[in-house]
DNA sequence: TTGAAAGCGCTAACAA
DNA sequence: TTGTTAGCGCTTTCAA
């Protein structure tokens, strides 16, 4: 199990030097070899089954051709689909650029070396961080040092490069308000302190209520994590104590749990309670009833993060440092907005 | 952005040679240094913020401390939760062993270099392949060459190391039969030719029917991919043409789609049709009604694959080459087995 | 117990 | 246009 073929052997086989092999196989710009020489080298490489040793190449060139994906709340991978989508599209994007993807899930992000080791060991050329935590002390340093990093989410750091969706909360609440709802509950992530996305959403929720001249009622806010289970539990509590006419869920997975709790209680969606989610995961179209939600374009976020990161790696400043993707209301049946909606 | 600290500098700072630094920091067995020397080296390393260069280490040692995860049907990542779970637990397991995880999704596995490049470039020390395809021509070669590989799924290769779940189909069908069903439909993956898991399941389905002295009816088999959408479409077709009293779905995500189609048709689950899934994804407990399914222990599969791979990397033969995990029936409400079941 | 030195396989600056 | 050669930073054998 050893690919004992070195560029030296290819060079000998082709009757040229290692430099020539390196230049030809790497297609170094600005160096012209006769087609005949090129062919000899290509054939020799092919014939011998030559594959450049990655470590040697990296050591010599200083480039790893590898991206890191840091997942700050790894357990979300188990319960929610958002991160899988980001992973998928980032993987595709990386491949298109000839890069590989190193996935790093993080338990305790406050601990130094959580993932900075990747950077300092020069194992990656750039980093995408999903849902960065505000109590992460290493990340700001890395950003300030100019290491290529793109966040999916935000640290509210002036120098950060990031991808975020905007308008999801506003659109969800506006939709509910437009349908006449006045007692709108909110089921979001806890604890929100360290997770920028969640506190954003809560703030946005208050603002949206305000815009609609609706009072904010603390009792109508419940917390879960990203899972259906937490949505179920939180919704159960909410139904026991209060009687909202609508519920805005922090993500679709939570909404699935809420739907289950509502159904179990013998209530009807949307007749008794309207439900809105966030993300538009593939399953959202197949809940009972189909879930009205706000699409956050997870795949697109992953792709954009990748493209932005490649700009950074090539030392090209991206046109926009902080991309905001407008979220998109997807009306299905869980709010009763219309009986003629797409699945 | 450069960690210009080399082992040379640490050596100078500590007043020793680079060899000593290497031996002490790597804690090379069988080499005893005075505690005093060790302390000096540790302190120097700490003080200078020394992080060994990964490429240099890899080049010199021949070890990458990196695992590859090959996802043969990358699009599943978008629609189903199984692979996310494997990824999660494999990532955890890798971390515990001080390894990192390189994720490689593959579009066309028949094309050489799909992921074998990782191996030949010596970028990884071992490989986990999820759902290997039977038409993959590279994988058997790698296995025969003795490269450390663990499959989640199977290639039916005598030399393979693999993790599989068994008994899921049998248990699902037996459960339905025990409830008196005789017209059991099956909604599985298409095309099954190249996906061992699916053809297994179909074969198992026929066998299970046989054991129950039930006829196999080709019309009661429908195909989808791994998505809820495909389950919805296939179920709709099934309901139009035939009237099964029970449906066994290839995975829970498909079952979610089936549930939606049944509901849309105005039928009741489990009264009119019983539904069983496979996997026990977290959401299965929160469908309407809660889904009876067969747990395939995705997290455990990922963990076991990782542990097995580490044995292989250390050149230790695992006790069992082909691990079979017994799937576990989880009775909820979608089959009407009992009104007193856990969520 | 510690150090010197020889690679690991490649890239890239410099020569020719 | 092509070859020579000096590293890249580390591990590891061998000698001291």
């Amino acid at each position: 199990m050893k690919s004992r073929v070195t560029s030296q052997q290819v060079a000998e086989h082709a009757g040229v030097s290692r430099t020539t092999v390196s230049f030809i196989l790497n297609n170094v710009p600005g160096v012209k070899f006769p087609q005949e020489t090129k062919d000899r080298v290509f054939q020799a490489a092919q014939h011998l089954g030559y594959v450049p040793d990655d470590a040697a190449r990296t050591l010599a060139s200083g480039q790893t051709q590898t991206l890191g994906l840091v997942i700050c709340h790894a357990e979300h991978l188990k319960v929610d689909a958002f991160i899988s989508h980001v992973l998928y599209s980032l993987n595709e994007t990386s491949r298109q650029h000839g890069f590989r993807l190193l996935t790093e899930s993080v338990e305790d992000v406050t601990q130094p070396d959580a993932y900075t080791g990747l950077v300092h060991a020069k194992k990656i050329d750039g980093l995408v961080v999903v849902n960065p935590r505000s109590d992460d002390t290493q990340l700001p340093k890395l950003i300030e040092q100019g290491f290529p990093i793109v966040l999916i989410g935000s640290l509210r750091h002036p120098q950060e490069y990031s991808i975020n969706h905007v308008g999801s909360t506003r659109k969800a609440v506006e939709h509910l308000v437009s349908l006449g709802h006045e007692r709108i509950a909110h089921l979001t992530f806890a604890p929100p302190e360290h997770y920028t996305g969640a506190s954003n959403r809560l703030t946005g929720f208050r603002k949206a209520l305000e815009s609609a001249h609706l009072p904010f009622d603390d009792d109508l806010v419940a917390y879960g994590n990203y899972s259906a289970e937490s949505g179920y539990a939180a919704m159960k509590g909410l139904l026991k104590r209060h009687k909202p006419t609508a519920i805005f869920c922090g993500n679709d997975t939570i909404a699935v749990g809420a739907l289950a709790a509502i159904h179990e209680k013998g209530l009807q969606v949307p007749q008794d309670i309207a439900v809105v989610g966030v993300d538009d995961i593939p399953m959202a179209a197949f809940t009972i009833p189909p879930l009205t939600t706000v699409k956050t374009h997870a795949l697109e976020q992953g792709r954009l993060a990748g493209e932005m990161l490649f700009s950074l790696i090539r030392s090209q400043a991206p046109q926009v440092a902080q991309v905001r993707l407008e979220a998109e209301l997807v009306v299905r049946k869980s709010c009763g907005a219309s009986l003629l909606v797409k699945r």
Side-chain angles (χ1 to χ4, degrees), chain A:
Chain A
M1 194 57 245
K2 32 174 72 182
S3 78
R4 282 297 52 155
V5 185
T6 69
S7 66
Q8 179 65 266
Q9 293 172 38
V10 176
E12 284 164 10
H13 198 92
V16 297
S17 77
R18 280 164 59 213
T19 314
T20 306
V21 171
S22 175
F23 279 16
I24 289 178
L25 293 185
N26 291 342
N27 196 23
V28 174
V31 187
K32 299 258 169 268
F33 290 95
Q35 189 59 42
E36 192 264 327
T37 308
K38 286 190 189 173
D39 287 345
R40 275 217 316 285
V41 171
F42 284 134
Q43 276 167 30
Q46 177 90 51
H47 177 69
L48 298 171
Y50 171 66
V51 179
D53 182 287
D54 185 74
R57 180 205 287 270
T58 296
L59 184 59
S61 71
Q63 313 248 274
T64 63
Q65 305 280 97
T66 302
L67 251 42
L69 172 64
V70 175
I71 302 174
C72 290
H73 306 246
E75 66 278 12
H76 299 171
L77 204 47
K78 285 188 290 188
V79 295
D80 189 30
F82 181 78
I83 295 189
S84 309
H85 285 211
V86 169
L87 177 66
Y88 175 83
S89 60
L90 190 58
N91 214 150
E92 296 298 306
T93 308
S94 301
R95 205 222 324 276
Q96 284 160 22
H97 288 258
F99 273 59
R100 329 224 76 137
L101 223 209
L102 202 59
T103 309
E104 187 72 8
S105 61
V106 168
E107 286 177 335
D108 183 4
V109 90
T110 58
Q111 187 188 336
D113 254 22
Y115 54 83
T116 52
L118 287 178
V119 175
H120 293 124
K122 301 215 215 75
K123 207 168 166 71
I124 53 175
D125 294 337
L127 209 51
V128 171
V129 181
V130 183
N131 289 343
R133 291 173 50 129
S134 57
D135 60 341
D136 187 331
T137 56
Q138 301 299 307
L139 198 45
K141 289 186 196 167
L142 249 28
I143 289 173
E144 285 152 20
Q145 283 171 91
F147 185 79
I149 294 183
V150 174
L151 312 178
I152 293 185
S154 176
L155 226 44
R156 303 177 182 290
H157 191 293
Q159 292 171 43
E160 81 184 21
Y161 292 94
S162 57
I163 314 284
N164 281 276
H165 62 266
V166 295
S168 56
T169 301
R170 182 176 51 73
K171 287 186 178 173
V173 174
E174 275 176 5
H175 182 62
L176 291 172
V177 169
S178 79
L179 295 172
H181 290 283
E182 298 187 347
R183 287 185 57 74
I184 303 172
H186 184 29
L187 222 164
T188 186
F189 318 121
E193 298 86 38
H194 295 314
Y195 174 55
T196 325
S199 53
N200 270 352
R201 217 155 282 181
L202 191 52
T203 311
F205 181 64
R206 301 185 68 141
K207 267 200 206 131
L209 247 32
E210 224 169 84
S211 303
H213 307 292
L214 251 31
F216 172 78
D217 181 353
D218 216 27
D219 288 343
L220 288 178
V221 177
Y223 297 94
N225 53 31
Y226 290 72
S227 69
E229 181 166 11
S230 74
Y232 171 78
M235 191 71 217
K236 250 175 113 165
L238 222 41
L239 288 173
K240 205 169 291 171
R241 301 193 311 272
H242 308 281
K243 183 81 174 72
T245 64
I247 170 107
F248 166 47
C249 300
N251 73 11
D252 289 347
T253 306
I254 285 186
V256 166
L259 245 24
I262 294 168
H263 182 260
E264 194 175 287
K265 187 85 172 183
L267 298 172
Q268 300 276 316
V269 175
Q271 293 87 336
D272 300 317
I273 300 190
V275 178
V276 189
V278 170
D279 279 347
D280 195 27
I281 61 177
M283 270 195 197
F286 303 96
T287 56
I288 297 175
L291 187 66
T292 290
T293 186
V294 192
K295 192 177 183 72
T296 54
H297 309 281
L299 291 172
E300 185 67 359
Q301 288 193 56
R303 194 184 65 76
L304 288 172
E307 296 294 354
M308 199 180 228
L309 190 51
F310 284 116
S311 294
L312 256 22
I313 288 174
R314 291 190 225 100
S315 305
Q316 300 167 351
Q319 285 120 329
V320 184
Q322 285 149 34
V323 172
R324 290 166 204 289
L325 234 50
E326 192 65 29
E328 185 185 326
L329 183 70
V330 179
V331 178
R332 295 202 182 91
K333 298 191 177 168
S334 65
C335 295
S338 161
L339 295 173
L340 295 169
V341 294
K342 64 178 168 181
R343 171 164 288 278

